[in-house]
Amino acid sequence: RGRLYEERCRCGGDFVKLESGKKACNRCGRKPPMKYLHSKGFKRNVFLYGEHFLGSSKGSNIYVVEGHLDALMMWQCGYRPVVATLGTNVGASQVERLIKFSFSQKMAMRSVIVVHDGDEAGRKMGVTIKKMVAGRVPVFTRDPGDGNDPASMLDHERRDLLGEPWGKKVDNQLIMV
């Protein structure tokens, strides 16, 4: 798995946004490379990144974000459990996994908090998850604002959006309670 980031096309042209919302090279018309490279055959809209932590986590919410880095940053900041959909194309299997983990025999039903990226695709993802989950478990969306995502936010911005994490910091280390 890896991430590609190219501002310019191999031909030297720039990737520009078209009327359709997609990007293409203004010189040769080539599409930009995929943002993430996964193993061949990996179906990213089936699994949730970080789902292996859901069964043992004690948080009253399940945070859902778009990318791996968003999930890692949320986890590091104490917002747990957190999973990533690995893109905006959310699959029914992912939603069923969320619902399954919302019901734990050890605690009351958890809410699903979708913290999507602050772009059009992220907002659509939030609406999609909300529609697919609605009526089965409580689900809420949080919009970090234009151009932001959970990984790029400052700590105080994240706390303003989500409240305090359920862990607490002692000597600058997060202690889970």
Side-chain angles (χ1 to χ4, degrees):
R1 171 176 49 190
R3 180 180 170 126
L4 293 176
Y5 181 74
E6 291 186 22
E7 289 183 16
R8 304 193 76 150
C9 183
R10 286 181 270 165
C11 74
D14 292 317
F15 292 115
V16 295
K17 197 170 193 175
L18 305 173
E19 288 181 21
S20 65
K22 303 206 181 239
K23 289 187 176 183
C25 176
N26 64 353
R27 188 180 283 176
C28 70
R30 183 179 292 128
K31 295 187 316 186
M34 292 173 45
K35 191 174 180 181
Y36 291 97
L37 295 176
H38 294 281
S39 301
K40 188 174 184 173
F42 178 71
K43 298 192 183 327
R44 63 183 184 176
N45 66 343
V46 172
F47 302 101
L48 294 165
Y49 179 83
E51 73 179 76
H52 59 289
F53 289 118
L54 289 176
S56 61
S57 295
K58 298 178 183 175
S60 60
N61 298 318
I62 297 175
Y63 296 96
V64 180
V65 295
E66 204 173 306
H68 336 75
L69 297 177
D70 297 326
L72 292 170
M73 182 58 77
M74 293 276 291
W75 182 272
Q76 184 176 348
C77 292
Y79 295 95
R80 302 176 186 170
V82 59
V83 293
T85 59
L86 302 174
T88 58
N89 184 19
V90 179
S93 175
Q94 290 174 311
V95 170
E96 292 307 316
R97 289 169 185 275
L98 276 174
I99 292 167
K100 173 188 168 197
F101 287 113
S102 293
F103 294 97
S104 172
Q105 297 166 354
K106 300 174 191 171
M107 60 179 14
M109 180 174 53
R110 298 187 222 191
S111 297
V112 173
I113 310 291
V114 181
V115 188
H116 56 75
D117 287 3
D119 57 13
E120 187 177 336
R123 288 183 188 99
K124 284 181 182 178
M125 180 197 86
V127 169
T128 299
I129 293 175
K130 206 167 184 178
K131 284 180 182 177
M132 293 172 83
V133 172
R136 298 165 80 185
V137 296
V139 60
F140 306 93
T141 57
R142 299 292 182 262
D143 188 338
D146 288 338
N148 282 331
D149 62 55
S152 68
M153 297 173 75
L154 299 173
D155 280 342
H156 72 87
E157 294 172 326
R158 199 175 295 105
R159 283 192 307 275
D160 288 347
L161 183 68
L162 302 171
E164 292 292 328
W166 66 272
K168 63 181 180 178
K169 286 193 175 180
V170 175
D171 295 328
N172 210 23
Q173 289 188 339
L174 188 67
I175 308 297
M176 303 317 288
V177 292

